Amino acid sequence: MADETRAFPLRNGHYKATGNWYSFIVVNGSTGILKEPSNSKIETKIKLGEFGEADPEIVETTGQQFYNIEFTYTIGSDYKEPGVLSEDGLKITTKGMMGVTVLDWVTQEEAAALEAEEIQLKLLLVSTDPARIYKVTSSG
């Protein structure tokens, strides 16, 4: 299964983000795609190595003293988001512009279900007009 191929010690596939402006990172080797809830996509470069001492909150959460992964992306300016990749490659904890983010690896099926839930929520938030909500969510 493609989701289980390894890219470095982290896995190719979807990592669900909690606590950041993007909802997923889709990893493919040393690159990834940051997927926003609006479905916008931004490319990121992924590096493994040592990227300095980890923030105390990251140390407390992960038990790791040093960052071992770094995401680099451009949104008007270049940003670097350092993090700690777990030994099994299933979890990444980062410290970026939004604070601490947890990225959990999910299967392709789980990612599709989570993205479908996000779409439904966005459609419901488009309008408070029940007739419009019905039309948007029931067209098909």
Side-chain angles (χ1 to χ4, degrees):
M1 181 187 301
D3 283 341
E4 295 185 15
T5 22
R6 296 291 182 132
F8 316 107
L10 83 147
R11 295 176 180 240
N12 282 333
H14 292 76
Y15 284 81
K16 182 187 180 324
T18 304
N20 214 325
W21 55 268
Y22 52 85
S23 53
F24 288 95
I25 292 181
V26 183
V27 174
N28 185 12
S30 62
T31 62
I33 300 294
L34 303 172
K35 293 176 79 177
E36 296 182 78
S38 67
N39 209 26
S40 293
K41 297 172 185 170
I42 298 168
E43 186 173 326
T44 184
K45 300 291 182 198
I46 304 168
K47 291 182 187 175
L48 292 182
E50 191 173 300
F51 300 100
E53 278 193 47
D55 181 271
E57 194 173 355
I58 299 289
V59 173
E60 184 178 321
T61 303
T62 67
Q64 298 298 314
Q65 298 294 318
F66 296 93
Y67 293 119
N68 61 6
I69 191 168
E70 182 180 75
F71 299 96
T72 304
Y73 50 90
T74 303
I75 310 173
S77 298
D78 290 338
Y79 291 94
K80 291 186 181 206
E81 191 169 315
V84 172
L85 172 64
S86 65
E87 286 186 26
D88 61 8
L90 296 174
K91 185 179 221 168
I92 304 165
T93 307
T94 68
K95 178 75 175 208
M97 67 174 100
M98 301 291 291
V100 174
T101 297
V102 175
L103 304 164
D104 290 300
W105 187 84
V106 295
T107 65
Q108 190 168 356
E109 293 79 15
E110 290 169 319
L114 290 165
E115 287 177 331
E117 286 176 18
E118 280 185 358
I119 290 168
Q120 287 300 315
L121 181 58
K122 283 189 282 185
L123 290 174
L124 289 173
L125 295 175
V126 165
S127 170
T128 56
D129 177 6
R132 183 170 178 199
I133 292 172
Y134 177 77
K135 289 176 191 172
V136 170
T137 59
S138 66
S139 62

